[in-house]
């Protein structure tokens, strides 16, 4: 079991040599999820050696180009490589129209099912749950409708206390029931209490993605206590007015959200091309939330 996030693009609207536009690949217990798909995402996937055909879920936040201009290209490459397995794309309803129009104009149809799920930045609900991983969406506060996402590991099974299990020579079939919290009675009528033979499960981890958004405390309830929060920090305090005008956040505002939500770690990204270094972002954020990092393209973050 593992849960990790690969940063494919940590920049904002204008790509730079060091920061691509927004995209992240999330690997969570054998689920392969792409969040946002800015221009050049498929090249970043290749550069960082992600098997792009394994991606089966794509979460798009909103329809500013730096968050989805790479999508039609990625889908086209999947098609050229012979993909036949469908893919599910969560995002604004207009996205389906745009992608279908783009592929239609090219004169071919994608050779696999595109399952669009429309999310227009106005609901908070669970959108996916396969018993191992769940995904929630919630509204962000941006110039156009924007979806935030939280990816969570579902509650894990109890762990078998092997020593006690073997000591009492418990029949092997009991193990499956114990892991689910059920007791077991053998064919000859011996009762085994699962509590005697199990340990507590590992903690289920969670990862929240908030980009793009202005400072809005309504976000807090949706990301309460997550392990890792990625929050945009397009600007620093010197550009606070610009942040407000463009419905973006400063590093300090991101830190205040992290603090209020009691998250464990804060990752800052969506850094404006105007900044050559991120020292000010870090200083301003850490004044409110110490456990803060500014991500770079290619960073692999283990959600532990
Ligand atoms: Zn935007």
């Amino acid at each position: 079991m593992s849960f990790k996030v690969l940063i494919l693009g940590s920049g904002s609207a204008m790509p730079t040599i060091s920061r691509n536009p927004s995209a992240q690949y999330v690997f969570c217990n054998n689920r392969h999820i792409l969040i946002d798909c800015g221009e050049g995402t498929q090249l970043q996937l290749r550069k960082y050696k992600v098997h792009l055909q394994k991606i089966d879920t794509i979460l798009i936040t909103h329809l500013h180009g730096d968050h989805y201009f790479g999508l039609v290209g990625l889908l086209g490459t999947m098609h050229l490589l012979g993909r036949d397995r469908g893919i599910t794309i969560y995002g604004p309803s207009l996205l389906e129209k745009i992608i279908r129009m783009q592929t239609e104009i090219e004169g071919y149809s994608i050779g696999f099912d595109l399952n669009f799920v429309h999310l227009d930045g106005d609901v908070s609900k669970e959108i996916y749950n396969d018993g191992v991983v769940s995904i929630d969406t919630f509204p962000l506060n941006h110039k156009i409708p924007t979806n935030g996402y939280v990816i969570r590991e579902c509650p894990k099974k109890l762990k078998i206390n092997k020593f006690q299990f073997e000591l009492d020579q418990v029949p092997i079939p009991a193990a499956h029931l114990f892991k689910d919290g059920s007791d077991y009675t053998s064919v000859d009528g011996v009762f085994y209490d699962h509590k005697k033979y199990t340990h507590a499960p590992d903690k289920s981890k969670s990862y929240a993605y908030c980009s793009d958004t202005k400072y809005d405390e309504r976000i807090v309830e949706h990301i309460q206590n997550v392990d890792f929060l990625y929050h945009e920090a397009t600007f620093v305090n010197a550009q606070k007015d610009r942040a407000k005008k463009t419905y973006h956040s400063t590093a300090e505002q991101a830190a205040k959200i992290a603090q209020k939500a009691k998250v464990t770690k804060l990752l800052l990204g969506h850094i404006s091309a105007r900044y050559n270094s991120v020292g000010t972002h870090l200083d301003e954020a850490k004044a409110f939330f110490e456990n803060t990092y500014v991500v770079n393209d290619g960073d692999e973050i283990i959600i532990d």
Side-chain angles (χ1 to χ4, degrees), residues 62 64 66-67 142 212 248:
H62 66 300
H64 283 155
D66 56 321
H67 293 257
H142 198 39
D212 301 355
H248 282 297

Side-chain angles (χ1 to χ4, degrees), residues 241-258:
D241 289 345
R242 177 134 190 89
K244 194 174 177 189
K245 206 170 141 193
T246 56
Y247 286 69
H248 282 297
S249 298
T250 63
E252 180 182 303
Q253 290 170 334
K256 284 179 176 171
I257 294 291

Side-chain angles (χ1 to χ4, degrees), residues 18-36:
S18 56
R19 294 191 188 275
N20 268 54
S22 292
Q24 298 186 358
Y25 164 71
V26 181
F27 176 81
C28 184
N29 300 331
N30 286 322
R31 276 57 176 175
H32 304 263
I33 302 163
L34 182 69
I35 312 180
D36 278 336

